[in-house]
Amino acid sequence: MAKLKLGALEDDKPVKVTVELPAAVHRQLVAYADVLARETGKPVPDPAKLIAPMIERFMATDRAFGKARRSPGSRPPQP
């Protein structure tokens, strides 16, 4: 089995954001959802639900972003 960067999706209170994706990115997202469903044994009813965990994982593993957030003078996120 493949080792995907995402695991099962957690249920959390969402914030609505609208984005436009290129068709090729959407096809890849649907394909990723299919592989994730096979890997976890849980269906992914809406591939768009993968976008938030993907972005979260990307930011969590971006060393430059983490370093910049920890540096003096960085501001905390605004609510």
Side-chain angles (χ1 to χ4, degrees):
M1 273 191 194
K3 178 67 175 153
L4 300 178
K5 289 193 176 215
L6 292 183
L9 301 179
E10 294 185 25
D11 192 18
D12 197 6
K13 183 179 177 184
V15 175
K16 184 143 179 108
V17 176
T18 303
V19 297
E20 287 187 28
L21 299 175
V25 172
H26 183 261
R27 285 190 297 272
Q28 291 290 76
L29 193 61
V30 170
Y32 197 101
D34 291 342
V35 173
L36 183 62
R38 286 195 309 263
E39 188 81 8
T40 63
K42 296 179 182 178
V44 178
D46 181 7
K49 297 276 187 187
L50 297 175
I51 296 170
M54 286 176 161
I55 293 171
E56 183 179 29
R57 176 75 175 175
F58 174 83
M59 289 187 297
T61 59
D62 186 319
R63 291 182 182 150
F65 175 67
K67 184 177 179 181
R69 285 195 65 193
R70 290 186 299 275
S71 70
S74 66
R75 298 183 304 158
Q78 299 297 315

